């Protein structure tokens, strides 16, 4: 996330605090006097120019009779501080570092749910497909080229499919089955890999969200780790969401996608059809 993005997140937090103050009917100076700090601090926080502390948030909620809002505000503050992560910073030491971070997060979660809109999910990628994806990432972002280590680290993440008591649900948008990554052989082998390994694993439920299903809400690919974290990849950043109210929206989106997905023989048929069409150059 760029510095401008950090500023926007801080400003959004400040706007929420300003709403609470105004809802209580307090002007800035009255509120500041009650809080025991200079009025300029209130102004700077509300404009997103100063970071409030957790204690500041607790005071704010107490004075505004909004104690129930405190957990969301604390989570939002954590997002401002640390959980928007710029791709260039995350990958400064190479993409392998990013993959190892993902393995650590996934290893600590019991439930792993993924909706992949454009690509085959990383946990189900073949080595050539993963190599083609990461090659493009390195080229696009202009980051350090550690391709071999990054591919190895991505494939190592797939051990959650074979070890532990993880429960994985992977939803793939039908369009991702037709997004060309690498050459025809890479794609047909990848789709065959899905057919060979995506079904029959007691740890894994693989579904496909068919084209033409009803609109839910604007979304992108995301991961849900247990019911406490959502990971969202954008063009420029990775967002880690822990705010309860935001998680509720991602759970709602997940439910909508899951209800529209097909599984078992229907999912296999969509994958097999995509493989055949790519093989035929369609």
């Amino acid at each position: 996330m760029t510095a401008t993005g950090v500023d926007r997140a801080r400003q959004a937090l400040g706007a929420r605090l300003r709403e609470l103050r105004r809802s209580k009917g307090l002007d800035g100076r009255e509120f500041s006097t009650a809080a025991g700090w200079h009025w300029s601090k209130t102004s700077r926080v509300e404009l997103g120019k100063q970071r409030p502390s957790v204690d500041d948030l607790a005071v704010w909620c107490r004075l505004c009779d909004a104690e129930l809002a405190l957990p969301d505000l604390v989570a939002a503050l954590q997002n401002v501080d640390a959980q928007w992560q710029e791709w260039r910073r995350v990958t400064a030491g190479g993409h392998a570092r990013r993959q190892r971070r993902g393995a650590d997060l996934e290893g600590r979660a019991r439930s792993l749910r993924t909706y992949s809109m454009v690509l085959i999910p990383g946990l189900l990628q073949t080595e050539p497909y993963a190599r083609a994806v990461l090659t493009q990432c390195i080229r696009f972002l202009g980051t350090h080229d550690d391709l071999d280590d990054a591919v190895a680290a991505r494939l190592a993440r797939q051990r959650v499919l074979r070890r532990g008591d993880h429960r994985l649900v992977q939803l793939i948008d039908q369009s991702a089955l037709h997004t060309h990554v690498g050459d025809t052989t890479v794609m047909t082998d990848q789709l065959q890999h899905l057919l060979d390994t995506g079904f029959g694993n007691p740890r894994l439920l693989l579904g496909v969200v068919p084209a033409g299903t009803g609109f839910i809400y604007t979304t992108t690919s995301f991961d849900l780790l247990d019911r406490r974290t959502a990971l969202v990849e954008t063009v420029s950043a990775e967002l880690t969401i822990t705010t309860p109210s935001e998680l509720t929206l991602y759970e709602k989106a997940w439910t909508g996608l899951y209800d529209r997905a097909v599984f078992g023989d229907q999912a296999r048929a969509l994958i097999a059809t995509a493989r055949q069409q790519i093989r035929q150059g369609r």
Side-chain angles (χ1 to χ4, degrees):
M1 188 181 182
T2 64
T4 300
V6 172
D7 290 341
R8 284 197 299 268
R10 191 174 287 137
Q11 288 162 7
L13 175 58
R16 292 173 69 182
L17 296 173
R18 183 169 57 249
E19 266 183 45
L20 292 178
R21 175 180 59 77
R22 288 178 174 174
S23 295
K24 183 61 177 175
L26 296 170
D27 66 27
R29 290 182 181 273
E30 289 172 335
F31 175 85
S32 303
T33 299
W37 59 59
H38 195 273
W39 65 266
S40 63
K41 174 177 175 177
T42 299
S43 176
R44 290 196 303 271
V45 168
E46 291 184 350
L47 292 173
K49 295 180 178 180
Q50 178 173 332
R51 174 198 180 278
S53 68
V54 173
D55 288 342
D56 292 338
L57 296 180
V59 170
W60 212 291
C61 290
R62 176 174 56 80
L63 293 178
C64 297
D65 294 330
E67 283 86 352
L68 293 178
L70 184 58
D72 272 5
L73 293 171
V74 170
L77 178 64
Q78 291 170 343
N79 284 339
V80 170
D81 286 346
Q83 297 183 13
W84 278 86
Q85 299 192 40
E86 204 174 336
W87 275 122
R88 288 184 181 274
R89 181 165 61 83
V90 171
T91 60
H95 283 261
R97 177 182 175 187
R98 165 68 185 89
Q99 297 302 316
R100 286 191 287 268
R101 174 179 176 271
D104 179 61
L105 291 172
E106 292 158 357
R108 289 188 275 115
R110 293 284 298 277
S111 169
L112 304 171
R113 292 172 290 162
T114 296
Y115 168 62
S116 191
M117 189 176 184
V118 179
L119 299 172
I120 305 303
L123 295 180
L124 300 174
Q125 292 177 2
T126 63
E127 190 276 343
Y129 187 97
R131 182 173 293 275
V133 169
L134 289 167
T135 296
Q136 177 63 12
C137 289
I138 291 169
R139 181 183 301 123
F140 183 87
L141 295 171
T143 48
H144 172 64
D145 187 347
D146 63 340
L147 180 61
D148 290 339
D149 288 343
V151 171
R154 170 162 285 189
L155 296 180
R157 293 171 63 176
Q158 298 179 4
R159 63 178 175 267
V160 298
L161 293 166
R162 303 180 294 275
R163 303 178 190 171
D165 57 355
H166 306 285
R167 174 63 173 163
L168 297 91
V169 184
Q170 305 279 288
L171 300 183
I172 306 174
D173 196 274
Q174 186 178 358
S175 62
L177 303 177
H178 297 270
T179 301
H180 282 251
V181 175
D183 58 23
T184 299
T185 299
V186 170
M187 281 301 303
T188 55
D189 287 352
Q190 172 63 73
L191 295 177
Q192 185 62 51
H193 179 70
L194 284 184
L195 294 170
D196 293 341
T197 66
F199 305 91
N201 183 338
R203 294 181 176 86
L204 172 66
L205 178 62
L206 174 60
V208 177
V209 181
T213 57
F215 173 73
I216 301 170
Y217 190 72
T218 302
T219 186
T220 184
S221 301
F222 61 91
D223 297 276
L224 294 173
L225 282 67
D226 297 322
R227 292 186 180 276
R228 54 184 170 77
T229 304
L231 302 177
V232 185
E233 296 181 3
T234 72
V235 172
S236 61
E238 179 184 65
L239 172 60
T240 302
I241 293 171
T242 59
T243 306
S245 59
E246 292 183 87
L247 287 175
T248 297
L249 294 177
Y250 278 92
E251 290 286 351
K252 190 173 182 179
W254 172 266
T255 298
L257 292 164
Y258 185 90
D259 289 346
R260 287 161 173 76
V262 296
F263 302 90
D265 289 343
Q266 289 179 285
R268 291 179 66 93
L270 291 176
I271 296 169
T273 297
R275 184 179 183 277
Q276 184 66 20
Q277 290 176 347
I278 290 173
R279 192 174 182 181
Q280 294 173 351
R282 295 163 57 189

